């Protein structure tokens, strides 16, 4: 019923990634505590995001001394970045969703 529809709506933005973004980059440390939820988010969501957006470059960059961050590249070279340190997986998911919305607003 309603909760199934709600979860479909919640995930609808995932299919719009490639419509609104040119590239998504995730930077994090392979071992630091600050990057733990980012690593977990990637482990749980990368396959799903890639399945919905097979042509969208989703770049995963690991570096030992880096703060976890998310970058979206839009049309005309516009980029937006979000620091992920201290965010939960759900908040990271929301951050990606917000970047998709930015992409949609840049088109209108």
């Amino acid at each position: 019923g309603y909760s199934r529809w709600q979860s479909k709506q919640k995930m609808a933005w995932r299919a719009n990634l490639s419509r609104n973004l040119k590239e998504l980059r995730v930077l994090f440390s392979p071992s630091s505590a600050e990057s733990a939820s980012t690593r977990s988010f990637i482990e749980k969501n990368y396959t799903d995001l890639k399945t919905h957006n097979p042509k969208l470059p989703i770049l995963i960059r690991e570096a030992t001394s880096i703060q976890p961050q998310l970058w979206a590249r839009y049309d005309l070279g516009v980029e937006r970045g979000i620091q992920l340190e201290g965010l939960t997986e759900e908040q990271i998911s929301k951050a990606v969703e917000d970047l998709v919305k930015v992409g949609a607003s840049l088109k209108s």
Side-chain angles (χ1 to χ4, degrees):
Y2 180 72
S3 66
R4 180 190 244 132
W5 175 84
Q6 223 178 1
S7 77
K8 266 196 172 129
Q9 290 301 104
K10 235 180 170 171
M11 298 300 171
W13 63 266
R14 289 170 179 252
N16 290 328
L17 270 181
S18 54
R19 205 172 298 149
N20 295 320
L21 301 182
K22 292 289 174 216
E23 178 186 279
L24 188 65
R25 285 192 314 277
V26 185
L27 293 74
F28 60 91
S29 163
S31 56
S32 78
E34 297 88 33
S35 288
S37 55
T38 303
R39 284 193 304 273
S40 187
F41 172 80
I42 292 301
E43 286 166 16
K44 292 178 183 166
N45 295 282
Y46 177 83
T47 304
D48 187 50
L49 292 173
K50 202 62 190 165
T51 302
H52 283 92
N53 305 278
K55 290 187 164 78
L56 177 73
I58 301 175
L59 310 176
I60 309 299
R61 299 287 181 256
E62 293 181 89
T64 44
S65 59
I66 198 164
Q67 296 298 321
Q69 47 194 281
L70 182 64
W71 286 89
R73 189 165 53 82
Y74 306 100
D75 287 329
L76 306 173
V78 175
E79 291 199 352
R80 294 278 189 283
I82 297 177
Q83 294 298 319
L84 302 178
E85 188 178 357
L87 298 185
T88 64
E89 284 178 56
E90 195 166 287
Q91 289 169 319
I92 292 170
S93 187
K94 178 84 175 86
V96 176
E97 184 179 355
D98 289 345
L99 289 172
V100 171
K101 288 177 184 165
V102 167
S105 71
L106 289 172
K107 287 182 180 240
S108 56

